């Protein structure tokens, strides 16, 4: 549900466009296109009075509401977004949207192309677009966090793969099948591949192609075998290398470039998460 007229310009790659409308209708919008296969657009918005007219998209609309609530019509049926609900609106099906409360609503939306969910899922999504699934809700929120800046594409791709798998399970429960058995062989091969590509990195699709395995199977097998998802393993290895280079006197900027991070801020974010202090403070602590 993107009112394109509220976006000041077209966003490409990871460049975000933010537009704040201070007229009678208050609207704050941020939109960008990340470098993650399957994600057409990321859209964050706060609307107080704006009501969407009936419209369609050519992509899936994956919506979570962080405050307030949205009321919408889909295929001539009234729906809403209660707490902890994930709404999945299918492509090509008209829908609208309006705030339920006087304070409006804050929402985060992912627009997904048909490579993640094909058109055969449109019918089930029309019948049940609002999914009360706290696990799915947390995963979608985590994906938004991973998409917030460049450098975490492997994490975002891994999270999106598991989200798409869970959505398919909701829309076609019988197609989900039994949980896969742990596969330590493919997990070990993926770890070796991550070690080889520590600096350059790789996408989940590239890993799946090289190892001849489904992306979701790779993530689950690795996590089951080693107790950590692939993207966290890669970042842990990079932070370990960054620690050694910092203790040898490298500056945070130099170390970021030499350990596979997108930039210094990307290094700082993951370094603080794993070490508890910034790279600069860690370097100054060296004796």
């Amino acid at each position: 549900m993107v009112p394109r007229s509220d976006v000041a310009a077209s966003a490409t790659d990871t460049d975000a466009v933010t537009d704040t409308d201070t007229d009678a209708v208050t609207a704050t919008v941020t939109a960008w296109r990340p470098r993650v296969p399957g994600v057409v657009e990321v859209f964050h918005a706060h609307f107080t009075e704006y009501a969407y007219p009936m419209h369609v998209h050519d992509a899936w609309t994956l919506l979570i509401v962080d405050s307030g609530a949205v009321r919408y019509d889909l295929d001539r049926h009234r729906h809403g977004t209660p707490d902890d609900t994930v709404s999945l609106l299918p492509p090509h099906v008209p829908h609208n949207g309006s705030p339920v409360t006087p304070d409006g609503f804050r929402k985060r939306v992912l627009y997904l192309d048909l490579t993640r969910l094909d058109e055969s899922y449109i019918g089930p999504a029309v019948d049940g677009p609002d999914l009360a699934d706290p696990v799915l809700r947390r995963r979608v929120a985590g994906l938004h966090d991973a998409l917030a800046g460049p450098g975490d594409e492997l994490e975002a791709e891994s999270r999106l793969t598991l989200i798409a798998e869970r959505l398919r399970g909701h829309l076609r429960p019988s197609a989900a099948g039994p949980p896969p058995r742990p596969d330590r062989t493919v997990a070990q091969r993926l770890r070796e591949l991550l070690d080889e590509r520590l600096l350059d990195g790789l996408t989940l699709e590239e890993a799946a192609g090289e190892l001849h395995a489904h992306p979701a199977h790779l993530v689950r097998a690795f996590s089951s075998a080693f107790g950590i998802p692939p993207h966290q393993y890669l970042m842990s290895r990079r932070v370990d290398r960054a620690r050694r280079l910092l203790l040898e006197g490298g500056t945070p900027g130099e170390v970021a470039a030499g350990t596979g991070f997108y930039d210094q801020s990307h290094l700082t974010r993951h370094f603080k998460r794993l070490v508890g202090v910034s790279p600069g403070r860690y370097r100054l602590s060296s004796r």
Side-chain angles (χ1 to χ4, degrees), residues 22-42:
T22 56
D23 295 335
V25 177
T26 302
T28 302
V29 164
T30 303
W32 70 97
R33 184 180 300 120
R35 298 184 182 94
V36 175
V39 181
V40 177
E41 182 181 332
V42 185

Side-chain angles (χ1 to χ4, degrees), residues 199 235 238-239 242 255-264 266-268 270-271:
L199 298 184
M235 288 303 169
R238 286 177 172 174
V239 167
V255 170
T259 51
F261 288 94
Y262 183 82
D263 54 19
Q264 184 174 332
H266 187 216
L267 165 66
T268 299
H270 286 281
F271 198 94

Side-chain angles (χ1 to χ4, degrees), residues 30-266:
T30 303
W32 70 97
R33 184 180 300 120
R35 298 184 182 94
V36 175
V39 181
V40 177
E41 182 181 332
V42 185
F43 183 74
H44 295 180
H46 176 209
F47 292 119
T48 56
E49 300 175 28
Y50 180 78
Y52 291 93
M54 295 299 293
H55 62 288
V56 299
H57 299 296
D58 59 1
W60 291 89
T61 302
L62 187 61
L63 163 72
I64 58 175
V65 176
D66 294 314
S67 65
V70 180
R71 180 185 297 113
Y72 67 93
D73 297 299
L74 177 72
D75 194 40
R76 297 182 294 276
H77 290 87
R78 178 58 55 90
H79 298 277
T81 57
D83 293 340
D84 293 329
T85 297
V86 177
S87 295
L88 180 68
L89 310 185
H92 315 307
V93 180
H95 60 273
N96 57 11
S98 59
V100 175
T101 63
D103 294 330
F105 58 87
R106 294 182 182 273
K107 68 174 184 176
R108 288 179 286 174
V109 183
L110 297 170
Y111 293 93
L112 308 177
D113 66 25
L114 296 177
T115 64
R116 297 294 177 172
L117 291 171
D118 61 43
E119 292 185 343
S120 68
Y121 292 95
I122 290 179
V126 169
D127 294 337
D130 298 316
L131 308 173
D133 183 344
V135 172
L136 179 62
R137 165 83 187 207
R138 288 195 298 271
R139 288 182 178 179
V140 173
L143 176 54
H144 278 279
D145 293 339
L147 292 169
D152 291 325
E153 285 78 13
L154 177 60
E155 176 182 354
E157 198 177 355
S158 299
R159 290 183 179 276
L160 178 57
T161 296
L162 296 183
I163 287 170
E165 182 182 61
R166 195 168 184 91
L167 288 172
R168 289 191 290 269
H170 274 289
L171 299 175
R172 282 190 189 156
S174 60
R181 298 171 62 182
D183 187 344
R184 291 195 64 87
T185 299
V186 75
Q188 181 65 39
R189 292 170 62 199
L190 177 55
R191 184 168 70 174
E192 293 170 356
L193 186 58
L194 291 171
D195 290 339
E196 293 172 5
R197 302 281 293 274
L198 185 63
L199 298 184
D200 296 333
L202 78 166
T203 68
L204 189 59
E205 289 296 332
E206 289 172 341
E210 292 200 31
L211 301 178
H212 307 289
H214 190 277
H217 179 62
L218 283 182
V219 176
R220 292 193 181 282
F222 193 96
S223 301
S224 176
F226 302 117
I228 187 173
H231 66 269
Q232 282 187 253
Y233 174 82
L234 181 67
M235 288 303 169
S236 298
R237 289 291 319 280
R238 286 177 172 174
V239 167
D240 271 352
R241 179 169 292 193
R243 293 173 72 156
R244 292 195 294 270
L245 294 177
L246 288 166
L247 293 180
E248 292 171 3
T251 67
E254 294 168 342
V255 170
T259 51
F261 288 94
Y262 183 82
D263 54 19
Q264 184 174 332
S265 64
H266 187 216

